[in-house]
Amino acid sequence: MNRIPGDRHSGPTRRALLTAGAGAALAAGCARGGASGAPAATPSGAATPTAAAGGITPGAMTLFKDPAYNFNGLLALGASGAGAAEVGEVLTAVNAINGAGVTAQTYVKTFRALGDQLLKAPPGAPADGQTKRFRALRAAQYYGQALFFVLGSDDPGSEEQLYKAGRGAWDIFCDLCDPAPVKANVPYGSTPLPVWFFRPDTSNTPRPTVILTNGSDGQNVDMWTYGVPAALDRGWNALVYDGPGQGQLLFVDQVVFTPTWEKVVTPLVDWLSARPDVDPDRIALTGLSMAGDLAPRAAAFETRIAALVAMPGCLEPWLGFPPEIRQILTPDKQETNDIWNKEVVPELPPDAADVMKKRFEPFSVPAMLEARRGKLFTDFYTPATRIQALSITDVVGRIKAPTLVLDYEGEQFYPGQPRRMYDALTSPKDYLKLTAAEGAQLHCSPMAPQLHCEVVFDWLQKTLPDR
């Protein structure tokens, strides 16, 4: 496992490092859920061997030679076990994209068309409710795949429309569930949080409940794959929600991430605690990907959280960016933006620029709107300082809830951070690393979400047993 090196350097000029190094690191790819646009970087800024085809994803695990596209493709393939994808559909799309040449345009076009197709009637007899339900779930997955790369496509302005297509498919799926999840808007500042509350049945039996927290660019369908069925099968409730910088709040309401995530989670706990079908003493909180930082931050202040899972543990999302990007940020806004606009942007390769558009949009509305116009943002300082502000190194010791910290072999975004979180915790704690021997390598175990859920929910059951 490679740690990201420090910011200080000697030898090559700053310009050489910022342009060549940052471009190489960013162009290596970005993946859904992480804060970085690149795999773990070597001092030169090049991708580590484990991120390349034939390394940590050998043989049939390499769908695309580019690690960014490969990671996202593996996420779709892994979702098949939860009904949120179909192996044949994903592999057919992969073949089509490889045949046409792997670009953001071919990726977006192929997966968007697949989502459109699934919202139509299947071949043969008319679709019944169950067929419509799971076709809509798979459509939500494929729209999410397209959404991730749309800013690098020929039609970046379709981002909001593409998000709404995926959200529409998700809502069709939810409406056809039995029982259908309770939909609500939980108060949060001037923009309420949309929530979907899944229950095993409609009785008012008080049950343990898990709040499933998404990362920086996942969609609701990912929370289905990484928790809802596992919760329901064990008699738990599961709450899915969009927070600032996510889903509806980002793409429609234009609300970016906040470092005070407890202000997001506390209203959710209030809403859950008022329900007769929730056991208020058994409310757990999970955080997937960058939410491995957000959820622990919330648990440090929201004391009603009875158990916490960080997947993976993350203390400083800013360290998920290559050092060549981090060193652009200085204490002075004007100096920072001058470096960005005069030294970096003119030399940044187009694919690296697309990565930066995607990585910075959840932290800056102007950056998102510029990206939708096919332009790169000019204010680097503001979103960069917002990402830097997500550090929880000074509050993780406040967490009182029992905590499970997950880590992954080949973790390409936050290497070393899960162990750092585990060591900093003072609450009852467990650490578990999922490995390539189990097919569970890489950030969030994209090929093994079922195993991932088994590990998480076995631990939750042990930590919050039936009463």
Side-chain angles (χ1 to χ4, degrees):
M1 178 175 290
N2 293 283
R3 288 185 179 273
I4 296 177
D7 289 337
R8 298 186 63 84
H9 65 274
S10 61
T13 65
R14 185 215 295 265
R15 182 180 180 85
L17 278 173
L18 290 182
T19 57
L26 286 167
C30 58
R32 183 184 345 198
S36 168
T42 64
S44 67
T48 61
T50 57
I56 202 71
T57 56
M61 295 178 181
T62 299
L63 306 178
F64 301 104
K65 292 181 180 179
D66 183 289
Y69 293 103
N70 196 60
F71 183 80
N72 278 270
L74 291 175
L75 278 167
L77 198 62
S80 299
E86 178 81 292
V87 171
E89 291 169 351
V90 174
L91 294 181
T92 299
V94 167
N95 286 340
I97 294 165
N98 280 322
V102 184
T103 65
Q105 180 64 17
T106 59
Y107 199 96
V108 170
K109 180 180 179 181
T110 302
F111 275 107
R112 177 186 284 176
L114 187 50
D116 291 343
Q117 175 185 322
L118 286 169
L119 292 182
K120 300 174 183 176
D128 62 13
Q130 189 75 343
T131 295
K132 291 179 180 177
R133 176 187 174 214
F134 277 98
R135 283 175 71 87
L137 182 64
R138 302 202 307 275
Q141 171 70 241
Y142 303 143
Y143 285 131
Q145 288 285 322
L147 178 66
F148 187 81
F149 290 104
V150 71
L151 293 181
S153 74
D154 294 346
D155 189 16
S158 66
E159 182 182 52
E160 182 177 346
Q161 178 189 38
L162 190 49
Y163 162 72
K164 288 180 176 178
R167 167 65 182 273
W170 166 254
D171 282 331
I172 291 171
F173 165 75
C174 289
D175 290 344
L176 292 170
C177 287
D178 185 18
V182 175
K183 295 181 183 180
N185 289 303
V186 173
Y188 171 75
S190 60
T191 310
L193 309 173
V195 302
W196 296 263
F197 180 65
F198 291 85
R199 307 151 293 166
D201 56 48
T202 56
S203 72
N204 284 331
T205 303
R207 298 180 183 274
T209 301
V210 60
I211 302 172
L212 301 168
T213 307
N214 223 330
S216 69
D217 41 40
Q219 301 304 318
N220 304 129
V221 64
D222 299 310
M223 295 297 90
W224 174 267
T225 300
Y226 281 89
V228 176
L232 297 177
D233 288 346
R234 290 164 174 80
W236 284 52
N237 303 315
L239 186 75
V240 176
Y241 70 101
D242 287 341
Q246 302 171 329
Q248 177 181 308
L249 267 73
L250 175 64
F251 295 114
V252 180
D253 300 329
Q254 300 183 9
V255 179
V256 299
F257 273 112
T258 174
T260 53
W261 206 256
E262 67 276 12
K263 294 180 181 179
V264 180
V265 169
T266 289
L268 300 177
V269 176
D270 290 342
W271 186 83
L272 288 171
S273 298
R275 294 188 60 87
D277 50 2
V278 172
D279 182 343
D281 295 324
R282 290 193 292 167
I283 297 177
L285 178 65
T286 69
L288 185 70
S289 190
M290 198 187 80
D293 167 274
L294 304 175
R297 164 73 197 205
F301 295 91
E302 177 45 75
T303 58
R304 291 173 292 176
I305 297 300
L308 169 69
V309 187
M311 315 179 306
C314 174
L315 294 173
E316 299 178 84
W318 183 231
L319 294 183
F321 285 80
E324 296 85 3
I325 293 298
R326 286 185 274 123
Q327 69 175 308
I328 296 170
L329 181 62
T330 75
D332 183 78
K333 181 176 181 178
Q334 187 63 54
E335 179 187 8
T336 296
N337 288 339
D338 282 345
I339 294 169
W340 171 247
N341 291 300
K342 296 177 182 179
E343 299 186 32
V344 180
V345 172
E347 304 293 335
L348 206 60
D351 49 359
D354 291 339
V355 170
M356 289 300 290
K357 293 172 187 175
K358 179 62 180 174
R359 293 272 46 91
F360 272 55
E361 73 167 350
F363 304 95
S364 168
V365 171
M368 179 176 70
L369 297 180
E370 283 294 290
R372 290 178 178 180
R373 291 191 285 267
K375 299 181 181 298
L376 191 58
F377 54 88
T378 56
D379 180 8
F380 180 96
Y381 179 87
T382 300
T385 53
R386 286 173 178 163
I387 301 168
Q388 197 175 52
L390 293 174
S391 171
I392 59 170
T393 54
D394 59 340
V395 301
V396 69
R398 295 174 55 118
I399 297 172
K400 302 301 182 186
T403 301
L404 171 63
V405 179
L406 288 189
D407 199 352
Y408 311 96
E409 184 176 351
E411 166 62 43
Q412 66 268 49
F413 301 108
Y414 309 124
Q417 293 207 47
R419 191 73 204 191
R420 284 179 56 205
M421 174 179 286
Y422 176 79
D423 291 341
L425 286 165
T426 58
S427 62
K429 58 187 179 180
D430 290 289
Y431 169 93
L432 181 64
K433 189 171 189 176
L434 298 177
T435 68
E438 304 160 303
Q441 68 267 44
L442 296 177
H443 183 69
C444 299
S445 300
M447 295 174 284
Q450 292 181 88
L451 171 62
H452 196 280
C453 286
E454 290 165 1
V455 167
V456 169
F457 281 89
D458 284 351
W459 183 86
L460 286 174
Q461 289 273 74
K462 179 188 71 173
T463 305
L464 301 177
D466 295 336
R467 296 188 298 183

